[in-house]
Amino acid sequence: MPAPDAKFSDGCVDVVIFKDGSKLGLLSFMTQLGYGNHVKSPHVLYFKVKAFVLEPGAHTNDPSKGAIIDCDGEVLARGNGTYKCDLKSLMSYDKLVVTVDQALATLFSTLA
């Protein structure tokens, strides 16, 4: 239940952000994901949106450098001043734009 208010065909993507929490708070957040209780935390922001832009901000240890966005270890976006930031590959971008296209596909399924 990472997004407890999600509806199958509402045309929105549910964005959950854990912000300004401790490592212990993050552990608590992760244990509550299966129940949907994590959205009640004061460190969690929960939005239903049609689109959003995700871009790397400043590096936490050195604000003069940019941060890196990755998914399962694969770099998706590199901020300025990061390792190999001048290289462009098929899977690295400056920012990610996510948009919901409602009714773009139809799913057919049998009832079992």
Side-chain angles (χ1 to χ4, degrees):
M1 297 275 303
D5 294 337
K7 303 292 183 248
F8 179 66
S9 185
D10 63 359
C12 294
V13 62
D14 294 51
V15 178
V16 180
I17 300 171
F18 181 81
K19 185 176 179 182
D20 299 328
S22 65
K23 290 180 183 176
L24 185 58
L26 180 60
L27 181 61
S28 174
F29 168 82
M30 298 297 281
T31 61
Q32 294 299 314
L33 276 173
Y35 308 103
N37 296 332
H38 61 288
V39 297
K40 297 176 185 173
S41 168
H43 301 290
V44 172
L45 303 173
Y46 184 82
F47 304 101
K48 294 183 81 61
V49 298
K50 301 276 184 191
F52 66 92
V53 177
L54 184 62
E55 59 186 315
H59 193 278
T60 55
N61 294 332
D62 184 359
S64 67
K65 292 184 179 178
I68 294 174
I69 299 172
D70 72 28
C71 180
D72 293 333
E74 181 151 359
V75 175
L76 298 177
R78 303 171 200 258
N80 292 331
T82 60
Y83 178 70
K84 294 186 178 181
C85 67
D86 56 336
L87 298 178
K88 295 292 180 190
S89 66
L90 292 175
M91 289 300 293
S92 70
Y93 307 94
D94 294 327
K95 59 185 173 183
L96 303 172
V97 178
V98 179
T99 305
V100 176
D101 293 320
Q102 190 173 10
L104 187 60
T106 302
L107 176 68
F108 295 97
S109 175
T110 59
L111 297 175

